[in-house]
Structure formats: C-alpha cells, structure tokens
Amino acid sequence: LLTAAARFYAGRLRRSPEAQAYLRSRGIRPETARRLGLGYAPGSGLRAHLAEAGYAPERVRRSGLFTDAGERFAGMVVVPDLAAGERVRWLAGRAVDPERSPRFQAMPGPKPVLGTGRLGPAPPWVVLTEGLFDWLALAQWGVPACAALGTQGAERIAATLAGCSRIFLAFDVDDAGRSAAERFTQLLGCKAAVVNLPNEAADVADLATRPHGYATFRRLLTQAARAAA
C-alpha cells in the first residue's frame, strides 16, 4: 500500500511546478527526485487512487496516511524509505510552504534509519546525518548515507549500523548536533569519525546549496577519515 501511495505522490510531483521549484531551491535536481522516488502530496486524490488499486477501506484507514484533518502529507514533498528491494516501508514529508506548521511529518510509529534499505549488505562506510534534506543531498552526491531524522534513539541507530566498519557523523552545526555527535562517538567507539561542517553552513543540506558544496564535503570527509585513523 505504501508503495502505491509513493507512486501516486511521484506522479503528482511531476504536475506541481511549486513543489518542483521548492526542490530546486533546496538544491535537489529533477533527476535526483526521480531516482529517489520523491513525490508531492496535493492533499486530495490519494484515497480514491488506493480504492481504485483495490485496497480495502479499512486497510487504507489504518495505513497512517490519513488523519482526522485529511491526508497526512498534504502540501508536502514526500520522501519514501525503502526496505530491501523496491518496497516502500515508510514515508516522511517536508512542507513546501515555509510558513506551514508542522513543517515535518512522518508515518506514525517507530522511525527507521532512513536510507539503510538502499545501502546494500554491510557497506564498508556510511555517513550518518540528521535530516531529510541532509540525506537527499548526500544521496544526490552518490555518498552512501542514512539519516537519524533527529537526535534521539542513538542506541537503536548505532545497533542498526553495527555492520559498518566506519561511520562518519555529519550532524547539524548547533548544540543538539554536537551533542548527538558526542553521543554516537561514545556508542560507536573507533568506528566513528566526526565530519566538522563549516560554521557558515547550518547542516549538510545548507552546504549542498553553496558553491563547491560537494567538493567541500569531500575534503571534510577526507579530513575526518585521517583524524580517525
């Protein structure tokens, strides 16, 4: 069902100049949006689409895609998270309108470590970052990455990444991000390497919108690897 919903949203993104412009403003290229299956929720049409696809009303009601107010992700760019293969296991959204509250929505229940389903078995190294658009920027650059989607649940996330021999920590440039990096360093020990983002960039997503953002990140990644060696 979530895979069907994600495909519906992907089709609506292609019809929304506003959502496409928002992604461009965040540094996300159209080919990246297509490759990662990004979508847009206009706020209507999903229930009818799922009914036409043969999903029972009760299953749709219990899916988490709807609230009492309507579609959960209405007005948001929607990011699918994949299980092994191409099956969508979870969805999260970011509001296109900067004045909207809340700006972030996710499926109810436990949050996965976003992106792990795309990494393959036991990658030798991975970048762990904080937010949706941080992960999108890294994925666009071709960097193996996953997102904690906040700074909570460090023990669970560390256990999920236990098979990686090197985990680069690229968290936001604020007190919460620094505290999270310290916590993960304690949990991961010698596997951890902290990527120190420049102070003028709030996070990886912000760095990605700046000139030479990718080159800067690669340089910082190399520095982190050398410091941790």
Side-chain angles (χ1 to χ4, degrees):
L1 187 148
L2 294 183
T3 301
R7 289 173 179 164
F8 171 82
Y9 291 142
R12 291 304 183 269
L13 176 61
R14 293 191 290 270
R15 303 180 189 180
S16 174
E18 180 186 15
Q20 293 172 29
Y22 173 73
L23 287 173
R24 286 195 300 272
S25 75
R26 301 297 303 269
I28 304 302
R29 298 189 294 267
E31 58 268 28
T32 301
R34 288 191 296 271
R35 176 168 60 86
L36 298 178
L38 304 190
Y40 174 68
S44 62
L46 177 61
R47 193 183 297 273
H49 173 79
L50 294 175
E52 290 173 5
Y55 293 99
E58 179 61 17
R59 185 178 178 189
V60 172
R61 187 187 68 80
R62 292 187 287 103
S63 67
L65 292 168
F66 298 89
T67 68
D68 292 341
E71 293 187 17
R72 179 176 298 278
F73 298 111
M76 292 186 163
V77 165
V78 181
V79 180
D81 187 46
L82 302 184
E86 295 298 318
R87 181 177 63 84
V88 175
R89 63 176 177 177
W90 191 77
L91 295 166
R94 180 76 174 188
V96 170
D97 181 356
E99 301 302 318
R100 171 172 172 169
S101 181
R103 297 183 66 186
F104 174 82
Q105 277 275 15
M107 300 291 294
K111 290 185 294 187
V113 184
L114 177 67
T116 51
R118 301 176 188 262
L119 292 176
W125 64 276
V126 66
V127 175
L128 176 62
T129 192
E130 193 166 328
L132 272 183
F133 275 84
D134 300 324
W135 177 76
L136 289 174
L138 291 167
Q140 178 166 267
W141 290 337
V143 175
C146 54
L149 299 175
T151 57
Q152 304 300 313
E155 292 82 0
R156 172 183 57 85
I157 295 167
T160 300
L161 300 177
C164 298
S165 57
R166 172 68 72 205
I167 301 169
F168 293 94
L169 307 174
F171 286 95
D172 293 2
V173 184
D174 57 17
D175 289 343
R178 284 185 283 270
S179 295
E182 291 175 4
R183 177 60 176 150
F184 275 103
T185 299
Q186 293 170 356
L187 289 169
L188 297 168
C190 62
K191 290 185 177 183
V194 177
V195 179
N196 293 305
L197 299 177
N199 289 330
E200 62 269 19
D203 49 31
V204 173
D206 185 20
L207 180 64
T209 65
R210 296 169 181 264
H212 313 296
Y214 175 56
T216 299
F217 186 81
R218 292 296 305 188
R219 175 174 55 80
L220 297 173
L221 198 65
T222 299
Q223 290 175 357
R226 289 173 178 168

